Structures are given as structure tokens and as C-alpha cells.
Amino acid sequence: MSDVAAVIDDLCDESHELDLLVRELSSEQWAAATPAPGWSVAHQIAHLTWTDEVALLAATDAEAFAREVARAMEAPESFVDRGAEEIAAALAPEALLARWRAGRERLEAVLREAPAGTRIPWYGPPMSVASMATARIMETWAHGQDVADALGATRTPTARLRHVARIGVRARDYAYLVRGIKAPEEEFRVELHAPGGELIVFGPPDAPQRVTGPLVDFCLLVTQRAHRDDLAVRAVGPDADQWLGIAQAFAGPAGPGRAPRGAGE
């Protein structure tokens, strides 16, 4: 379980970094619009709060979580937005911050205490403890990027981005599925340069379809936090090129993504 503990440690560090970014914000800054249409900084933190609480429910009460999934299926396009809106509308910034902290601390404790081999139900297939923690890292980083963009803050990329990249690669076929496109049968080679100089690789070294670039740029691409044209991610081969246009690391419908910088000006 040492590897699982390390992933949970990274989740705690990612959450703490975002906490540092928002803990001293003014009321005006909490209300600032983020790149996600209709979402303020408060909505972003409310969404993370909601998702942590749902993940905690899934890990501790499978029957109650099944009822939550059934309600979500009644409004699959809006249940995530509704969850964020309800929390953001109900709580002042101080209370929202306290609820987010409490929820993520409870989730951390449950994940650390989970027996080896635990499978946690989710909106898709059940996940291992490590996969749940990895998914929470991805969401925390992605929504943290929305917050940083709204505040004009620059974040320093960390080695934790390898978790985000891993989800992005593993979700390759899902990106095709939600668009009704047949996924390529062969694996792609993905080579990403981490902030410290490490090369992060996925897929067979002799794969003709290849993706290369900075780790942070790939993560921005697969979380749809920046447009492909604004990133230094490159594809070799038509299938890899197509994937870079549709890649998404998150579950749910295909997102519209971000427009290129300067679009509409």
C-alpha cells in the first residue's frame, strides 16, 4: 500500500496548493468569473467540495451512492453544475472553504484506511483507491487552473502532473466513445518532458502514432484548459493528430474546450 499512500500524499499536496491560492481572497475575488461559463471562483471550489463529498459517500455507503447515481441519470447534463451551484449559493466564502477542507480531510482518511483491493463504485466502472485519489488529483489541478486563470495567477508545474497525464492517456478510447468515433486499435507512444527534466512515457516505444511535448501542456490539453494551438504538444501520425483534437481526461459528455488565445478579438 506504500504506492497508494504516495498517491494520496500527492492529492493532499495538490489540494493544499489550491488552498493557499484561495484562502486569503476577498469577496470580490471569490465572485470573479472563471473560464468555465457561469462559474465563479466560488463555483470551482464548490464543485470540488461536492465531488469530494460524493466520493466519500461512494467509499462509505454504496447503497446511498447508488441512489445518487440514479438521481444523476435523471439529469445527466446538469447534475454536476447543480451540485456546485447549490453549495456555492448556500455558503459564504469562509463557510465554503471550511466545508471543502473538512470534506477532503474525511475523504483522505477513508482512502488511507481502505483495505487492500478495495473497489469504490463510481459513475463509470468501480475504481481502486489509487485510481480514486488520482482522479481527485486531476480534478483538483484542473479546477485549480480555472481559479488561477480567473485570478491572473501563475502556478509552478510539479511532478504531480504525471497523474493527470496518466488519466489522459488511459482515457484515450473514452474520448472517442463519447463522440461516437471508433478508437484506433493500436496504442500510441506518448513522451512528455516533466518540469524536473524527467521523461514521462506511455505506450510502446516503436508505435508509429506518437505524441510529444511538455508534461504541463499535455495536461492542459487533456483537461481542456487550453486550446491545442496554444500548446507545444505535437503529434506524429493521423490517428495521434485526431486524438489531440478530442482528448479529455474527465468523464462525461465531450466538452467544447477552450478557444485559442486571441479568438474573437
Side-chain angles (χ1 to χ4, degrees):
M1 292 292 286
S2 58
D3 290 344
V4 177
V7 178
I8 298 172
D9 289 344
D10 282 348
L11 170 58
C12 294
D13 289 344
E14 192 65 43
S15 298
H16 179 68
E17 184 174 293
L18 178 54
D19 196 310
L20 291 174
L21 188 60
V22 301
R23 62 174 55 183
E24 301 295 337
L25 296 183
S26 66
S27 297
E28 291 75 16
Q29 288 172 312
W30 277 100
T34 69
W39 278 31
S40 65
V41 170
H43 283 95
Q44 299 288 348
I45 300 302
H47 170 71
L48 293 175
T49 302
W50 176 83
T51 313
D52 284 342
E53 291 175 355
V54 172
L56 180 66
L57 183 67
T60 57
D61 191 336
E63 291 185 2
F65 177 72
R67 293 192 292 271
E68 184 71 24
V69 172
R71 284 192 292 270
M73 293 305 99
E74 294 173 359
E77 301 293 332
S78 62
F79 79 97
V80 171
D81 288 349
R82 186 177 66 244
E85 177 62 37
E86 289 175 353
I87 293 175
L91 299 176
E94 297 81 4
L96 173 58
L97 194 56
R99 180 166 167 178
W100 176 46
R101 288 169 174 165
R104 72 186 202 235
E105 288 172 2
R106 290 196 299 271
L107 179 60
E108 175 198 349
V110 167
L111 294 181
R112 289 193 188 279
E113 294 167 3
T118 293
R119 305 292 293 179
I120 301 173
W122 199 237
Y123 293 98
M127 293 195 287
S128 68
V129 172
S131 292
M132 175 61 79
T134 300
R136 301 307 308 129
I137 292 171
M138 182 273 291
E139 276 226 273
T140 302
W141 182 82
H143 290 282
Q145 186 62 46
D146 291 335
V147 172
D149 288 343
L151 300 175
T154 299
R155 301 193 297 173
T156 301
T158 73
R160 295 189 297 273
L161 289 175
R162 69 189 185 279
H163 299 298
V164 182
R166 181 171 178 268
I167 290 182
V169 171
R170 294 189 67 182
R172 187 200 73 169
D173 289 2
Y174 179 79
Y176 286 92
L177 176 66
V178 295
R179 290 165 175 81
I181 305 172
K182 186 178 186 299
E185 293 182 2
E186 69 276 10
E187 290 186 70
F188 298 166
R189 176 70 168 184
V190 178
E191 299 180 349
L192 306 170
H193 296 278
E198 180 186 3
L199 185 64
I200 307 294
V201 299
F202 304 92
D206 59 347
Q209 304 289 323
R210 309 174 71 85
V211 170
T212 62
L215 176 61
V216 64
D217 283 22
F218 181 78
C219 292
L220 289 166
L221 179 78
V222 298
T223 57
Q224 297 187 357
R225 261 53 189 184
H227 192 275
R228 177 182 178 181
D229 291 350
D230 297 324
L231 301 170
V233 182
R234 301 292 179 259
V236 174
D239 291 340
D241 186 72
Q242 180 188 40
W243 178 45
L244 293 189
I246 64 173
Q248 66 179 71
F250 51 88
R258 300 281 165 80
R261 285 196 294 265
E265 295 181 356

